[in-house]
Amino acid sequence: MDKAHDVLIRNLCEHTPLVEDDIAEIRELTFTLRDLEPNEDFIRQGDKPEHSVLVVSGAVARYHLLGSGRRQYLAFHFTGDLPDAQGLFIDEMDHGLSALGPASVAFIPHRELFAAFRRRPVFGMAVWRETLLDAAIFREAITNNSARPMQTRMAHLFCELFYRARAAQLVRANRCRLPISLAQLGETLGMAIATVNRTLADLRRSGAMDLREGELIVLKWRELQRLGDFSPAYLHLKRQSSPPP
């Protein structure tokens, strides 16, 4: 279980200074690992939460399930994220979580987390900050989907995902795994599939990026950033790495 503990510690230290006693407290937590197949749900809308989830490897998606059975994807989470930390403070989940591609997650009992928060308040503040970072991403997504043109909207999403993957040390050269389908892109950005295809083709022609076989390739970061009207300030990452070339 050391890998899961290390993943959580590294992620929290991106935004909160933890001392040795905080880290020792985290290492005492019980993790139950679960490997996920692509598109497998592991938290469902309406569930009564008793555990929080840590993404140990891969990527997962948060979504709302509509009455028609369609999904509206709300956010994506990478290794180290706590995508349902909000479940600590609500009685019923108002969203679902599913794996994008093959992924591994760890379940942490709420009772252990609350006990750890009482002993180490800074650790509790770090997890609370995770929920605030989620809220900042939600706010940006609302602006993105309602106020930006289609190409800017898609470029902004790719910028955010690449930037966050880089902070999580998941980028190799100029590439990161992003096993998202065109249909899921449309359900994230409020686009019909024909608009997704046309917009993605426009971005490819710009030479700034490509998306092929589940991999996001950033060829010209500053151009993609310009096309997406992207500033990473809303992500509130303290130890930001240098922009890629």
Side-chain angles (χ1 to χ4, degrees):
M1 295 296 178
D2 284 346
K3 178 182 178 182
H5 292 92
D6 290 340
V7 165
L8 178 58
I9 291 164
R10 180 173 58 78
N11 178 61
L12 295 180
C13 285
E14 287 291 333
H15 53 68
T16 302
L18 299 177
V19 300
E20 287 301 319
D21 286 345
D22 299 320
I23 291 170
E25 187 71 48
I26 293 171
R27 293 198 181 279
E28 292 298 317
L29 294 172
T30 301
F31 289 88
T32 302
L33 287 175
R34 177 174 164 185
D35 293 326
L36 303 170
E37 298 294 326
N39 300 312
E40 180 180 348
D41 290 337
F42 58 96
I43 298 290
R44 290 180 171 81
Q45 202 164 304
D47 281 355
K48 308 293 185 183
E50 295 181 352
H51 298 78
S52 287
V53 174
L54 168 72
V55 183
V56 178
S57 65
V60 306
R62 186 198 311 274
Y63 67 89
H64 266 155
L65 188 64
L66 306 180
S68 64
R70 292 181 61 251
R71 294 185 177 191
Q72 169 66 52
Y73 287 94
L74 306 168
F76 300 95
H77 295 274
F78 297 106
T79 301
D81 286 351
L82 292 164
D84 73 332
Q86 300 98 324
L88 282 160
F89 310 107
I90 58 178
D91 295 327
E92 181 176 301
M93 297 302 290
D94 56 15
H95 59 272
L97 290 164
S98 65
L100 272 184
S104 177
V105 297
F107 292 87
I108 315 167
H110 282 178
R111 65 180 184 278
E112 290 192 19
L113 286 170
F114 283 124
F117 295 165
R118 287 191 291 271
R119 289 189 292 265
R120 302 302 309 170
V122 171
F123 171 43
M125 290 174 61
V127 173
W128 179 51
R129 187 166 286 144
E130 285 283 301
T131 70
L132 300 181
L133 295 177
D134 279 348
I137 290 171
F138 293 156
R139 289 190 293 271
E140 190 70 17
I142 291 170
T143 300
N144 200 39
N145 283 5
S146 60
R148 292 185 174 117
M150 298 298 183
Q151 181 174 287
T152 307
R153 189 181 304 182
M154 185 176 288
H156 188 280
L157 176 66
F158 288 146
C159 282
E160 179 193 298
L161 296 179
F162 188 81
Y163 193 93
R164 289 172 56 206
R166 190 156 44 86
Q169 302 178 18
L170 300 175
V171 169
R172 298 295 177 264
N174 62 340
R175 299 165 179 257
C176 69
R177 288 293 299 161
L178 186 62
I180 187 171
S181 70
L182 296 183
Q184 288 171 321
L185 263 181
E187 291 168 336
T188 302
L189 297 170
M191 297 182 184
I193 192 69
T195 305
V196 170
N197 278 309
R198 184 170 60 252
T199 306
L200 187 55
D202 289 343
L203 285 175
R204 283 170 170 154
R205 278 194 294 271
S206 76
M209 57 75 62
D210 201 355
L211 181 69
R212 295 192 183 278
E213 298 179 352
E215 192 170 55
L216 174 61
I217 307 163
V218 175
L219 303 167
K220 298 177 183 177
W221 167 253
R222 296 198 185 281
E223 176 64 9
L224 186 63
Q225 192 174 20
R226 183 189 69 80
L227 291 170
D229 188 25
F230 176 76
S231 169
Y234 70 96
L235 296 172
H236 302 288
L237 296 178
K238 300 298 185 186
R239 295 193 289 131
Q240 297 175 6
S241 52
S242 300

